[in-house]
Amino acid sequence: MSQPLSSNLPSSALQGRKLVFVVTEDWFFASHFLPMARAARELGLDVAVVTRVRSHRDIIEATGARVIPLQAERRSLNPMAAGYAAGQLASILKAEKADLVHCIALRSILIGGFAAAMAGISERVYALTGLGFLGARMDMIGRLAQRAVRLLVRGLETAKTRYLFENTDDPKLLGLDPADPRVTIVGGAGIDPKALHPEPLPAQPPLKVAVVARMLWSKGIDLAVEAVQAARAQGAAIELSLYGAPDPSNPKAIPEATLRTWSAEPGITWHGATRNIAAVWRDHHVACLPSRGGEGLPRTLLEAAACGRAIVTSDVPGCRTLVRDNIEGRIVPPDDAASLTEVLVLLAGRPDLVARMGDAARARVLDGFTERDVMDAVKRLYSAVLAP
């Protein structure tokens, strides 16, 4: 998945040099980026993670990284608040004598980029993990917002800045060619194929479909509900399970009352958040994520694929990076419940196809989307940035 980066810099030359990750939330780092911290430690780097600390400090520190609290509101649009956070972060970077700053996601890129400039650090990695609700908007406001993001991020670029993406669509939003040597593409967060592995499929009928995601409108949860209701109305034996919690700090959060109303419908159950991903896919046949856009490369799809489950998702960046139509699963147009219904009805009557797609999904993950694949790509990236 990564672009080739050649560097003759030996790991011993990096021993003790300091890498500082900047990320808004400790849970986000713990969920997606621990392999990158481990990769840096393999290179001998001294690693610190600057973030808002909630309840994941121990998980992060288990990689050998240090955790430094940052007081910053994740969703605040107040320029003064952002400026205060950048100033606070610049002081941390100076005190740490950081050699490299790795900023994860848009807000951290903006605050971390300003902070690195104030601290005089030109070696930076900007990791854009999707555009969230900005990427899901295709109207004039969305296009203007994306243009503003491009100007802001590229304005924080130095000669030593490198970019990290999870799909080949997002670089273009910043005016970058995916083949640019400054760009590295990785297979999302990466998956440990030993921790998540295929189990025998449950008996059919019914076809058991699961959505594992934050309960956001942008994830298309309502489309999955509508499609399953329509499929059942046509006589298809399908059940839908929703796993995930609303994110109260996200403007696209689905109200809990709405989730409970859906869960009262026949064949639909909202289970709330889960930490036992393996158990979810052991009990289901198909992973569904009818996203409206803004994805990097959804970890939920990687997890389902690692467990050998067929995937039904939408034709948006990130989702189509992993899933090829009629191979690992089915790709449907975004915001199209009718097409999603048609696909689910088809799969409900084709257990052989569901099994074949699940086998292909597992093979797909093993070909460039594992944690080791991501770690090796990141190690090449860090070595290149820190080379004289």
Side-chain angles (χ1 to χ4, degrees), residues 2 112 126 132 149 216 248 289 298 345 376 380:
S2 62
Y126 294 157
V149 165
L216 307 177
L289 185 69
V345 170
D376 288 346
R380 291 192 295 270

Side-chain angles (χ1 to χ4, degrees), residues 105-117:
L106 180 57
R107 179 172 171 78
S108 293
I109 291 172
L110 298 178
I111 292 177
F114 280 118

Side-chain angles (χ1 to χ4, degrees), residues 159-183:
K160 295 287 285 185
T161 297
R162 298 294 182 268
Y163 293 89
L164 192 64
F165 298 96
E166 297 181 346
N167 62 65
T168 56
D169 290 280
D170 286 351
K172 300 168 189 175
L173 295 174
L174 295 186
L176 293 165
D177 187 331
D180 190 312
R182 295 173 296 173
V183 172

Side-chain angles (χ1 to χ4, degrees), residues 198-213:
E199 297 276 3
L201 287 164
Q204 280 187 247
L207 179 74
K208 294 186 176 181
V209 179
V211 178
V212 182

Side-chain angles (χ1 to χ4, degrees), residues 8-359:
N8 295 320
L9 190 66
S11 295
S12 59
L14 301 178
Q15 192 73 36
R17 300 190 72 179
K18 290 192 174 182
L19 163 66
V20 176
F21 288 99
V22 179
V23 61
T24 52
E25 301 283 346
D26 62 349
W27 67 262
F28 187 43
F29 191 88
S31 173
H32 290 73
F33 303 104
L34 296 180
M36 294 186 184
R38 289 196 291 267
R41 294 294 298 144
E42 286 184 4
L43 287 174
L45 295 173
D46 180 349
V47 180
V49 179
V50 181
T51 185
R52 183 162 64 165
V53 177
R54 294 295 183 89
S55 58
H56 292 78
R57 178 194 287 267
D58 291 347
I59 297 174
I60 297 172
E61 290 181 340
T63 66
R66 294 174 291 114
V67 175
I68 302 173
L70 180 69
Q71 303 300 322
E73 287 302 317
R74 176 181 168 204
R75 289 287 171 182
S76 174
L77 298 178
N78 185 331
M80 293 188 65
Y84 173 77
Q88 181 189 3
L89 178 56
S91 297
I92 292 172
L93 296 178
K94 289 178 181 177
E96 287 290 314
K97 298 181 180 178
D99 295 293
L100 171 61
V101 180
H102 182 152
C103 305
I104 296 172
L106 180 57
R107 179 172 171 78
S108 293
I109 291 172
L110 298 178
I111 292 177
F114 280 118
M118 286 189 282
I121 302 166
S122 60
E123 289 78 3
R124 309 171 196 169
V125 173
Y126 294 157
L128 195 65
T129 57
L131 287 178
F133 66 91
L134 289 180
R137 294 195 66 153
M138 302 305 295
D139 56 10
M140 180 64 72
I141 294 176
R143 289 193 292 271
L144 290 173
Q146 290 177 14
R147 188 177 303 172
V149 165
R150 177 188 300 185
L151 292 173
L152 286 169
V153 173
R154 297 300 300 275
L156 294 169
E157 184 180 287
T158 71
K160 295 287 285 185
T161 297
R162 298 294 182 268
Y163 293 89
L164 192 64
F165 298 96
E166 297 181 346
N167 62 65
T168 56
D169 290 280
D170 286 351
K172 300 168 189 175
L173 295 174
L174 295 186
L176 293 165
D177 187 331
D180 190 312
R182 295 173 296 173
V183 172
T184 296
I185 311 292
V186 295
I191 285 294
D192 181 351
K194 294 180 180 179
L196 291 174
H197 51 82
E199 297 276 3
L201 287 164
Q204 280 187 247
L207 179 74
K208 294 186 176 181
V209 179
V211 178
V212 182
R214 287 179 296 159
M215 295 290 104
L216 307 177
W217 296 109
S218 58
K219 299 293 183 182
I221 311 297
D222 55 314
L223 297 172
V225 171
E226 182 180 346
V228 169
Q229 289 174 329
R232 288 174 61 88
Q234 294 177 29
I238 300 178
E239 294 179 357
L240 175 65
S241 298
L242 305 177
Y243 291 89
D247 182 352
S249 63
N250 193 301
K252 295 294 183 181
I254 299 173
E256 185 171 326
T258 300
L259 294 168
R260 294 193 181 281
T261 298
W262 288 339
S263 193
E265 294 288 324
I268 299 172
T269 306
W270 174 50
H271 298 270
T274 180
R275 293 187 178 181
N276 195 344
I277 295 299
V280 170
W281 297 123
R282 186 170 58 243
D283 295 338
H284 292 82
H285 304 93
V286 173
C288 183
L289 185 69
S291 173
R292 291 184 165 95
E295 308 289 347
L297 200 166
R299 182 174 179 82
T300 181
L301 299 187
L302 290 170
E303 292 170 339
C307 293
R309 293 322 188 231
I311 298 170
V312 178
T313 190
S314 47
D315 189 10
V316 298
C319 297
R320 62 180 175 230
T321 299
L322 177 68
V323 181
R324 296 166 295 183
D325 194 34
N326 284 313
I327 301 177
E328 293 83 20
R330 293 300 309 272
I331 300 285
V332 299
D335 227 347
D336 188 341
S339 294
L340 183 56
T341 301
E342 182 179 345
V343 165
L344 293 178
V345 170
L346 168 68
L347 294 180
R350 291 288 306 278
D352 59 319
L353 182 59
V354 170
R356 187 167 72 243
M357 288 177 168
D359 290 342

